[in-house]
Amino acid sequence: DQQVKQNSPSLSVQEGRISILNCDYTNSMFDYFLWYKKYPAEGPTFLISISSIKDKNEDGRFTVFLNKSAKHLSLHIVPSQPGDSAVYFCAASPNTDKLIFGTGTRLQVFP
Amino acid sequence: DVKVTQSSRYLVKRTGEKVFLECVQDMDHENMFWYRQDPGLGLRLIYFSYDVKMKEKGDIPEGYSVSREKKERFSLILESASTNQTSMYLCASSLGGQFYGYTFGSGTRLTVV
């Protein structure tokens, strides 16, 4: 059973606009969440993370929001750039070293 | 710059062959992981290791085994390759503790024919 779900397999956004990627989880024991970005033929790279004691974390153009009651997190990219076109994975950790990854969302940013 | 190196970018093997995928990290990380990435299924954990000679099954260990004889090297073994093991295989390492995240290798695209 998929504990971390990304229900949108793809998203297309115009350059300069906001991209919003969503992630839902089922396990209330998850207490740390991360987003990774993956280009074709490369391994995923860490983007941004958030602890369950927070509801928002910001790093430049990237902001992650966490809604614990809804078991939902989202990644906002503002403004979106063509170089942001990639597959984005959310991941969750239940206070262990193991990460549970979602299915990924392919973001395409067009001019 | 810290690195996780996977020995092959592309591999083509025949059904029934024994396949070795090698992964080496130069960061003195305790933990190492093997994932496979498939369309619509995301990254699924095959095996992981918290220390030399230690291994634990992930979510989809069937048909795979692993070896960790040295801290920096973690090998994934397909005992008898099958076509449903055609996939992108990703190795990762981490320092330990959930706050450090993973460093991934570039992946090995394995095709079993």
Side-chain angles (χ1 to χ4, degrees):
Chain A
D1 190 26
Q2 195 78 28
Q3 297 186 68
V4 180
K5 300 179 184 179
Q6 295 175 256
N7 291 318
S8 297
S10 64
L11 176 67
S12 189
V13 172
Q14 189 173 28
E15 181 178 5
R17 309 287 282 246
I18 184 171
S19 295
I20 300 177
L21 294 89
N22 293 303
C23 180
D24 296 296
Y25 61 95
T26 58
N27 190 340
S28 58
M29 298 300 292
F30 289 150
D31 62 353
Y32 196 68
F33 304 89
L34 307 92
W35 283 93
Y36 281 79
K37 176 179 177 179
K38 185 181 185 300
Y39 292 117
E42 295 183 15
T45 55
F46 170 75
L47 193 56
I48 192 169
S49 62
I50 187 167
S51 166
S52 60
I53 63 173
K54 293 186 173 183
D55 54 18
K56 177 183 175 181
N57 188 27
E58 192 172 351
D59 183 2
R61 296 187 296 114
F62 302 91
T63 303
V64 56
F65 296 92
L66 175 63
N67 182 333
K68 289 190 294 293
S69 60
K71 294 190 178 69
H72 177 83
L73 67 154
S74 61
L75 174 68
H76 292 209
I77 306 173
V78 181
S80 301
Q81 299 173 355
D84 297 328
S85 297
V87 178
Y88 290 79
F89 292 98
C90 67
S93 170
N95 194 25
T96 69
D97 295 340
K98 197 167 78 169
L99 292 179
I100 312 297
F101 285 86
T103 51
T105 296
R106 182 177 300 279
L107 172 66
Q108 183 178 8
V109 180
F110 60 92
Chain B
D1 195 15
V2 294
K3 282 182 85 169
V4 176
T5 303
Q6 294 183 231
S7 54
S8 303
R9 294 297 299 269
Y10 300 94
L11 276 178
V12 180
K13 297 291 182 180
R14 294 193 180 278
T15 301
E17 276 193 81
K18 190 169 187 176
V19 181
F20 293 85
L21 302 183
E22 305 289 346
C23 176
V24 177
Q25 52 98 358
D26 64 0
M27 297 166 282
D28 201 33
H29 281 174
E30 304 293 329
N31 304 333
M32 296 188 76
F33 307 84
W34 275 105
Y35 285 84
R36 60 178 284 177
Q37 180 194 358
D38 300 288
L41 297 176
L43 302 177
R44 293 181 292 165
L45 181 63
I46 305 171
Y47 266 98
F48 58 105
S49 169
Y50 288 144
D51 202 349
V52 176
K53 296 194 185 292
M54 294 185 70
K55 60 185 179 183
E56 292 195 36
K57 294 180 180 179
D59 300 317
I60 51 164
E62 296 79 18
Y64 303 94
S65 62
V66 290
S67 172
R68 194 170 182 198
E69 296 296 320
K70 294 185 177 182
K71 189 176 186 180
E72 67 270 19
R73 186 179 296 269
F74 192 35
S75 303
L76 180 69
I77 304 155
L78 286 66
E79 297 292 341
S80 177
S82 64
T83 55
N84 63 14
Q85 292 178 310
T86 291
S87 185
M88 167 69 84
Y89 289 88
L90 292 160
C91 175
S93 71
S94 74
L95 186 60
Q98 62 180 169
F99 301 109
Y100 293 98
Y102 293 178
T103 300
F104 280 90
S106 297
T108 296
R109 169 71 65 184
L110 173 67
T111 302
V112 182
V113 297

PDB file of all heavy atoms in Angstrom, chain B residues 22-48:
ATOM      1  N   GLU B  22      27.145  -2.321  -8.875  1.00  0.00           N
ATOM      2  CA  GLU B  22      28.061  -1.852  -7.841  1.00  0.00           C
ATOM      3  C   GLU B  22      27.823  -0.384  -7.525  1.00  0.00           C
ATOM      4  O   GLU B  22      27.509   0.424  -8.413  1.00  0.00           O
ATOM      5  CB  GLU B  22      29.509  -2.033  -8.311  1.00  0.00           C
ATOM      6  CG  GLU B  22      29.868  -3.445  -8.737  1.00  0.00           C
ATOM      7  CD  GLU B  22      29.960  -4.403  -7.566  1.00  0.00           C
ATOM      8  OE1 GLU B  22      30.007  -3.944  -6.407  1.00  0.00           O
ATOM      9  OE2 GLU B  22      29.970  -5.626  -7.806  1.00  0.00           O
ATOM     10  N   CYS B  23      28.027  -0.058  -6.255  1.00  0.00           N
ATOM     11  CA  CYS B  23      27.846   1.321  -5.801  1.00  0.00           C
ATOM     12  C   CYS B  23      28.943   1.635  -4.794  1.00  0.00           C
ATOM     13  O   CYS B  23      29.174   0.861  -3.847  1.00  0.00           O
ATOM     14  CB  CYS B  23      26.478   1.479  -5.161  1.00  0.00           C
ATOM     15  SG  CYS B  23      26.174   3.111  -4.446  1.00  0.00           S
ATOM     16  N   VAL B  24      29.597   2.777  -4.987  1.00  0.00           N
ATOM     17  CA  VAL B  24      30.663   3.193  -4.086  1.00  0.00           C
ATOM     18  C   VAL B  24      30.423   4.638  -3.668  1.00  0.00           C
ATOM     19  O   VAL B  24      30.119   5.482  -4.514  1.00  0.00           O
ATOM     20  CB  VAL B  24      32.043   3.079  -4.772  1.00  0.00           C
ATOM     21  CG1 VAL B  24      33.140   3.599  -3.846  1.00  0.00           C
ATOM     22  CG2 VAL B  24      32.325   1.647  -5.180  1.00  0.00           C
ATOM     23  N   GLN B  25      30.561   4.915  -2.360  1.00  0.00           N
ATOM     24  CA  GLN B  25      30.440   6.294  -1.881  1.00  0.00           C
ATOM     25  C   GLN B  25      31.731   6.695  -1.181  1.00  0.00           C
ATOM     26  O   GLN B  25      32.388   5.871  -0.550  1.00  0.00           O
ATOM     27  CB  GLN B  25      29.219   6.443  -0.952  1.00  0.00           C
ATOM     28  CG  GLN B  25      29.145   5.428   0.187  1.00  0.00           C
ATOM     29  CD  GLN B  25      29.634   5.890   1.511  1.00  0.00           C
ATOM     30  OE1 GLN B  25      30.114   7.028   1.667  1.00  0.00           O
ATOM     31  NE2 GLN B  25      29.538   5.004   2.503  1.00  0.00           N
ATOM     32  N   ASP B  26      32.057   7.994  -1.309  1.00  0.00           N
ATOM     33  CA  ASP B  26      33.323   8.475  -0.754  1.00  0.00           C
ATOM     34  C   ASP B  26      33.108   9.413   0.426  1.00  0.00           C
ATOM     35  O   ASP B  26      33.975  10.239   0.741  1.00  0.00           O
ATOM     36  CB  ASP B  26      34.151   9.157  -1.842  1.00  0.00           C
ATOM     37  CG  ASP B  26      33.495  10.412  -2.399  1.00  0.00           C
ATOM     38  OD1 ASP B  26      32.391  10.775  -1.943  1.00  0.00           O
ATOM     39  OD2 ASP B  26      34.079  11.033  -3.309  1.00  0.00           O
ATOM     40  N   MET B  27      31.952   9.299   1.090  1.00  0.00           N
ATOM     41  CA  MET B  27      31.589  10.259   2.131  1.00  0.00           C
ATOM     42  C   MET B  27      31.657   9.670   3.535  1.00  0.00           C
ATOM     43  O   MET B  27      31.258  10.321   4.499  1.00  0.00           O
ATOM     44  CB  MET B  27      30.170  10.772   1.851  1.00  0.00           C
ATOM     45  CG  MET B  27      30.077  11.509   0.540  1.00  0.00           C
ATOM     46  SD  MET B  27      28.368  11.755   0.015  1.00  0.00           S
ATOM     47  CE  MET B  27      27.999  10.124  -0.619  1.00  0.00           C
ATOM     48  N   ASP B  28      32.124   8.423   3.629  1.00  0.00           N
ATOM     49  CA  ASP B  28      32.177   7.739   4.915  1.00  0.00           C
ATOM     50  C   ASP B  28      30.783   7.642   5.558  1.00  0.00           C
ATOM     51  O   ASP B  28      30.634   7.705   6.782  1.00  0.00           O
ATOM     52  CB  ASP B  28      33.152   8.442   5.889  1.00  0.00           C
ATOM     53  CG  ASP B  28      33.613   7.508   7.005  1.00  0.00           C
ATOM     54  OD1 ASP B  28      33.747   6.300   6.757  1.00  0.00           O
ATOM     55  OD2 ASP B  28      33.816   8.000   8.150  1.00  0.00           O
ATOM     56  N   HIS B  29      29.780   7.487   4.722  1.00  0.00           N
ATOM     57  CA  HIS B  29      28.409   7.371   5.222  1.00  0.00           C
ATOM     58  C   HIS B  29      28.147   5.995   5.806  1.00  0.00           C
ATOM     59  O   HIS B  29      28.631   4.981   5.300  1.00  0.00           O
ATOM     60  CB  HIS B  29      27.408   7.633   4.094  1.00  0.00           C
ATOM     61  CG  HIS B  29      27.224   9.079   3.791  1.00  0.00           C
ATOM     62  ND1 HIS B  29      26.463   9.528   2.740  1.00  0.00           N
ATOM     63  CD2 HIS B  29      27.698  10.197   4.409  1.00  0.00           C
ATOM     64  CE1 HIS B  29      26.464  10.852   2.724  1.00  0.00           C
ATOM     65  NE2 HIS B  29      27.208  11.269   3.720  1.00  0.00           N
ATOM     66  N   GLU B  30      27.332   5.977   6.865  1.00  0.00           N
ATOM     67  CA  GLU B  30      26.982   4.710   7.500  1.00  0.00           C
ATOM     68  C   GLU B  30      25.982   3.918   6.670  1.00  0.00           C
ATOM     69  O   GLU B  30      26.058   2.714   6.549  1.00  0.00           O
ATOM     70  CB  GLU B  30      26.366   4.962   8.874  1.00  0.00           C
ATOM     71  CG  GLU B  30      27.224   5.765   9.832  1.00  0.00           C
ATOM     72  CD  GLU B  30      28.469   5.006  10.237  1.00  0.00           C
ATOM     73  OE1 GLU B  30      28.410   3.765  10.298  1.00  0.00           O
ATOM     74  OE2 GLU B  30      29.506   5.655  10.478  1.00  0.00           O
ATOM     75  N   ASN B  31      24.984   4.624   6.146  1.00  0.00           N
ATOM     76  CA  ASN B  31      23.841   3.958   5.528  1.00  0.00           C
ATOM     77  C   ASN B  31      23.936   3.957   4.017  1.00  0.00           C
ATOM     78  O   ASN B  31      24.316   4.957   3.410  1.00  0.00           O
ATOM     79  CB  ASN B  31      22.546   4.681   5.921  1.00  0.00           C
ATOM     80  CG  ASN B  31      22.369   4.789   7.409  1.00  0.00           C
ATOM     81  OD1 ASN B  31      22.877   3.970   8.164  1.00  0.00           O
ATOM     82  ND2 ASN B  31      21.647   5.807   7.841  1.00  0.00           N
ATOM     83  N   MET B  32      23.533   2.849   3.420  1.00  0.00           N
ATOM     84  CA  MET B  32      23.450   2.764   1.970  1.00  0.00           C
ATOM     85  C   MET B  32      22.165   2.052   1.575  1.00  0.00           C
ATOM     86  O   MET B  32      21.674   1.191   2.324  1.00  0.00           O
ATOM     87  CB  MET B  32      24.677   2.058   1.389  1.00  0.00           C
ATOM     88  CG  MET B  32      25.976   2.830   1.649  1.00  0.00           C
ATOM     89  SD  MET B  32      27.414   2.176   0.788  1.00  0.00           S
ATOM     90  CE  MET B  32      27.113   2.751  -0.905  1.00  0.00           C
ATOM     91  N   PHE B  33      21.643   2.428   0.407  1.00  0.00           N
ATOM     92  CA  PHE B  33      20.315   1.986  -0.013  1.00  0.00           C
ATOM     93  C   PHE B  33      20.323   1.638  -1.504  1.00  0.00           C
ATOM     94  O   PHE B  33      21.044   2.262  -2.281  1.00  0.00           O
ATOM     95  CB  PHE B  33      19.288   3.109   0.203  1.00  0.00           C
ATOM     96  CG  PHE B  33      19.258   3.680   1.588  1.00  0.00           C
ATOM     97  CD1 PHE B  33      20.153   4.670   1.964  1.00  0.00           C
ATOM     98  CD2 PHE B  33      18.340   3.232   2.521  1.00  0.00           C
ATOM     99  CE1 PHE B  33      20.130   5.209   3.248  1.00  0.00           C
ATOM    100  CE2 PHE B  33      18.304   3.760   3.800  1.00  0.00           C
ATOM    101  CZ  PHE B  33      19.210   4.752   4.157  1.00  0.00           C
ATOM    102  N   TRP B  34      19.486   0.698  -1.868  1.00  0.00           N
ATOM    103  CA  TRP B  34      19.207   0.425  -3.270  1.00  0.00           C
ATOM    104  C   TRP B  34      17.715   0.596  -3.528  1.00  0.00           C
ATOM    105  O   TRP B  34      16.872   0.001  -2.837  1.00  0.00           O
ATOM    106  CB  TRP B  34      19.613  -0.992  -3.667  1.00  0.00           C
ATOM    107  CG  TRP B  34      21.055  -1.129  -4.043  1.00  0.00           C
ATOM    108  CD1 TRP B  34      22.054  -1.690  -3.317  1.00  0.00           C
ATOM    109  CD2 TRP B  34      21.658  -0.693  -5.265  1.00  0.00           C
ATOM    110  NE1 TRP B  34      23.236  -1.625  -3.997  1.00  0.00           N
ATOM    111  CE2 TRP B  34      23.029  -1.027  -5.199  1.00  0.00           C
ATOM    112  CE3 TRP B  34      21.177  -0.053  -6.423  1.00  0.00           C
ATOM    113  CZ2 TRP B  34      23.922  -0.739  -6.229  1.00  0.00           C
ATOM    114  CZ3 TRP B  34      22.062   0.228  -7.445  1.00  0.00           C
ATOM    115  CH2 TRP B  34      23.414  -0.119  -7.338  1.00  0.00           C
ATOM    116  N   TYR B  35      17.402   1.438  -4.528  1.00  0.00           N
ATOM    117  CA  TYR B  35      16.026   1.662  -4.975  1.00  0.00           C
ATOM    118  C   TYR B  35      15.928   1.299  -6.450  1.00  0.00           C
ATOM    119  O   TYR B  35      16.906   1.316  -7.176  1.00  0.00           O
ATOM    120  CB  TYR B  35      15.642   3.135  -4.839  1.00  0.00           C
ATOM    121  CG  TYR B  35      15.369   3.613  -3.436  1.00  0.00           C
ATOM    122  CD1 TYR B  35      16.407   4.018  -2.606  1.00  0.00           C
ATOM    123  CD2 TYR B  35      14.069   3.683  -2.951  1.00  0.00           C
ATOM    124  CE1 TYR B  35      16.148   4.472  -1.317  1.00  0.00           C
ATOM    125  CE2 TYR B  35      13.794   4.142  -1.672  1.00  0.00           C
ATOM    126  CZ  TYR B  35      14.840   4.539  -0.865  1.00  0.00           C
ATOM    127  OH  TYR B  35      14.578   4.982   0.405  1.00  0.00           O
ATOM    128  N   ARG B  36      14.715   1.012  -6.881  1.00  0.00           N
ATOM    129  CA  ARG B  36      14.444   0.969  -8.296  1.00  0.00           C
ATOM    130  C   ARG B  36      13.338   1.970  -8.616  1.00  0.00           C
ATOM    131  O   ARG B  36      12.437   2.226  -7.792  1.00  0.00           O
ATOM    132  CB  ARG B  36      14.074  -0.432  -8.797  1.00  0.00           C
ATOM    133  CG  ARG B  36      12.875  -1.072  -8.210  1.00  0.00           C
ATOM    134  CD  ARG B  36      12.594  -2.459  -8.830  1.00  0.00           C
ATOM    135  NE  ARG B  36      12.001  -2.381 -10.161  1.00  0.00           N
ATOM    136  CZ  ARG B  36      11.714  -3.433 -10.924  1.00  0.00           C
ATOM    137  NH1 ARG B  36      11.988  -4.660 -10.490  1.00  0.00           N
ATOM    138  NH2 ARG B  36      11.177  -3.272 -12.119  1.00  0.00           N
ATOM    139  N   GLN B  37      13.452   2.575  -9.789  1.00  0.00           N
ATOM    140  CA  GLN B  37      12.486   3.571 -10.208  1.00  0.00           C
ATOM    141  C   GLN B  37      11.761   3.075 -11.441  1.00  0.00           C
ATOM    142  O   GLN B  37      12.392   2.744 -12.444  1.00  0.00           O
ATOM    143  CB  GLN B  37      13.171   4.904 -10.550  1.00  0.00           C
ATOM    144  CG  GLN B  37      12.202   5.982 -10.983  1.00  0.00           C
ATOM    145  CD  GLN B  37      12.867   7.163 -11.640  1.00  0.00           C
ATOM    146  OE1 GLN B  37      14.084   7.229 -11.756  1.00  0.00           O
ATOM    147  NE2 GLN B  37      12.072   8.124 -12.069  1.00  0.00           N
ATOM    148  N   ASP B  38      10.444   3.016 -11.350  1.00  0.00           N
ATOM    149  CA  ASP B  38       9.613   2.582 -12.466  1.00  0.00           C
ATOM    150  C   ASP B  38       8.498   3.594 -12.675  1.00  0.00           C
ATOM    151  O   ASP B  38       7.974   4.171 -11.707  1.00  0.00           O
ATOM    152  CB  ASP B  38       9.017   1.199 -12.183  1.00  0.00           C
ATOM    153  CG  ASP B  38      10.075   0.137 -11.976  1.00  0.00           C
ATOM    154  OD1 ASP B  38      10.709  -0.235 -12.982  1.00  0.00           O
ATOM    155  OD2 ASP B  38      10.270  -0.308 -10.826  1.00  0.00           O
ATOM    156  N   PRO B  39       8.100   3.814 -13.914  1.00  0.00           N
ATOM    157  CA  PRO B  39       7.039   4.798 -14.201  1.00  0.00           C
ATOM    158  C   PRO B  39       5.766   4.470 -13.430  1.00  0.00           C
ATOM    159  O   PRO B  39       5.293   3.336 -13.437  1.00  0.00           O
ATOM    160  CB  PRO B  39       6.837   4.647 -15.715  1.00  0.00           C
ATOM    161  CG  PRO B  39       8.124   4.096 -16.217  1.00  0.00           C
ATOM    162  CD  PRO B  39       8.636   3.197 -15.138  1.00  0.00           C
ATOM    163  N   GLY B  40       5.222   5.497 -12.796  1.00  0.00           N
ATOM    164  CA  GLY B  40       3.977   5.330 -12.055  1.00  0.00           C
ATOM    165  C   GLY B  40       4.130   4.690 -10.696  1.00  0.00           C
ATOM    166  O   GLY B  40       3.177   4.645  -9.916  1.00  0.00           O
ATOM    167  N   LEU B  41       5.319   4.192 -10.392  1.00  0.00           N
ATOM    168  CA  LEU B  41       5.543   3.520  -9.104  1.00  0.00           C
ATOM    169  C   LEU B  41       6.546   4.252  -8.233  1.00  0.00           C
ATOM    170  O   LEU B  41       6.729   3.913  -7.061  1.00  0.00           O
ATOM    171  CB  LEU B  41       6.024   2.086  -9.337  1.00  0.00           C
ATOM    172  CG  LEU B  41       5.045   1.167 -10.068  1.00  0.00           C
ATOM    173  CD1 LEU B  41       5.686  -0.190 -10.331  1.00  0.00           C
ATOM    174  CD2 LEU B  41       3.760   0.996  -9.265  1.00  0.00           C
ATOM    175  N   GLY B  42       7.198   5.254  -8.774  1.00  0.00           N
ATOM    176  CA  GLY B  42       8.140   6.026  -7.983  1.00  0.00           C
ATOM    177  C   GLY B  42       9.391   5.247  -7.640  1.00  0.00           C
ATOM    178  O   GLY B  42       9.827   4.365  -8.368  1.00  0.00           O
ATOM    179  N   LEU B  43       9.961   5.598  -6.487  1.00  0.00           N
ATOM    180  CA  LEU B  43      11.169   4.927  -6.001  1.00  0.00           C
ATOM    181  C   LEU B  43      10.764   3.905  -4.948  1.00  0.00           C
ATOM    182  O   LEU B  43      10.146   4.253  -3.945  1.00  0.00           O
ATOM    183  CB  LEU B  43      12.129   5.945  -5.373  1.00  0.00           C
ATOM    184  CG  LEU B  43      12.599   7.091  -6.268  1.00  0.00           C
ATOM    185  CD1 LEU B  43      13.482   8.043  -5.465  1.00  0.00           C
ATOM    186  CD2 LEU B  43      13.345   6.552  -7.456  1.00  0.00           C
ATOM    187  N   ARG B  44      11.152   2.685  -5.192  1.00  0.00           N
ATOM    188  CA  ARG B  44      10.808   1.619  -4.241  1.00  0.00           C
ATOM    189  C   ARG B  44      12.098   1.018  -3.674  1.00  0.00           C
ATOM    190  O   ARG B  44      13.018   0.688  -4.426  1.00  0.00           O
ATOM    191  CB  ARG B  44       9.964   0.548  -4.924  1.00  0.00           C
ATOM    192  CG  ARG B  44       8.582   1.040  -5.345  1.00  0.00           C
ATOM    193  CD  ARG B  44       7.776  -0.066  -5.990  1.00  0.00           C
ATOM    194  NE  ARG B  44       8.346  -0.452  -7.269  1.00  0.00           N
ATOM    195  CZ  ARG B  44       8.025  -1.565  -7.924  1.00  0.00           C
ATOM    196  NH1 ARG B  44       7.133  -2.411  -7.405  1.00  0.00           N
ATOM    197  NH2 ARG B  44       8.566  -1.838  -9.090  1.00  0.00           N
ATOM    198  N   LEU B  45      12.105   0.841  -2.357  1.00  0.00           N
ATOM    199  CA  LEU B  45      13.298   0.389  -1.657  1.00  0.00           C
ATOM    200  C   LEU B  45      13.456  -1.130  -1.779  1.00  0.00           C
ATOM    201  O   LEU B  45      12.548  -1.888  -1.429  1.00  0.00           O
ATOM    202  CB  LEU B  45      13.215   0.787  -0.185  1.00  0.00           C
ATOM    203  CG  LEU B  45      14.392   0.417   0.702  1.00  0.00           C
ATOM    204  CD1 LEU B  45      15.662   1.117   0.238  1.00  0.00           C
ATOM    205  CD2 LEU B  45      14.082   0.775   2.153  1.00  0.00           C
ATOM    206  N   ILE B  46      14.631  -1.555  -2.233  1.00  0.00           N
ATOM    207  CA  ILE B  46      14.900  -2.978  -2.397  1.00  0.00           C
ATOM    208  C   ILE B  46      15.595  -3.537  -1.153  1.00  0.00           C
ATOM    209  O   ILE B  46      15.108  -4.475  -0.515  1.00  0.00           O
ATOM    210  CB  ILE B  46      15.775  -3.224  -3.644  1.00  0.00           C
ATOM    211  CG1 ILE B  46      15.141  -2.612  -4.887  1.00  0.00           C
ATOM    212  CG2 ILE B  46      16.010  -4.722  -3.847  1.00  0.00           C
ATOM    213  CD1 ILE B  46      16.050  -2.623  -6.111  1.00  0.00           C
ATOM    214  N   TYR B  47      16.742  -2.961  -0.811  1.00  0.00           N
ATOM    215  CA  TYR B  47      17.514  -3.353   0.361  1.00  0.00           C
ATOM    216  C   TYR B  47      18.232  -2.120   0.898  1.00  0.00           C
ATOM    217  O   TYR B  47      18.482  -1.165   0.172  1.00  0.00           O
ATOM    218  CB  TYR B  47      18.587  -4.400  -0.005  1.00  0.00           C
ATOM    219  CG  TYR B  47      18.189  -5.837   0.168  1.00  0.00           C
ATOM    220  CD1 TYR B  47      17.737  -6.584  -0.928  1.00  0.00           C
ATOM    221  CD2 TYR B  47      18.295  -6.474   1.403  1.00  0.00           C
ATOM    222  CE1 TYR B  47      17.382  -7.920  -0.788  1.00  0.00           C
ATOM    223  CE2 TYR B  47      17.955  -7.810   1.549  1.00  0.00           C
ATOM    224  CZ  TYR B  47      17.495  -8.523   0.457  1.00  0.00           C
ATOM    225  OH  TYR B  47      17.153  -9.851   0.602  1.00  0.00           O
ATOM    226  N   PHE B  48      18.588  -2.185   2.178  1.00  0.00           N
ATOM    227  CA  PHE B  48      19.438  -1.152   2.734  1.00  0.00           C
ATOM    228  C   PHE B  48      20.381  -1.752   3.767  1.00  0.00           C
ATOM    229  O   PHE B  48      20.194  -2.905   4.207  1.00  0.00           O
ATOM    230  CB  PHE B  48      18.613   0.005   3.307  1.00  0.00           C
ATOM    231  CG  PHE B  48      17.632  -0.368   4.373  1.00  0.00           C
ATOM    232  CD1 PHE B  48      17.884  -0.077   5.711  1.00  0.00           C
ATOM    233  CD2 PHE B  48      16.416  -0.978   4.061  1.00  0.00           C
ATOM    234  CE1 PHE B  48      16.963  -0.392   6.689  1.00  0.00           C
ATOM    235  CE2 PHE B  48      15.494  -1.295   5.034  1.00  0.00           C
ATOM    236  CZ  PHE B  48      15.768  -1.003   6.356  1.00  0.00           C
TER     237      PHE B  48
END
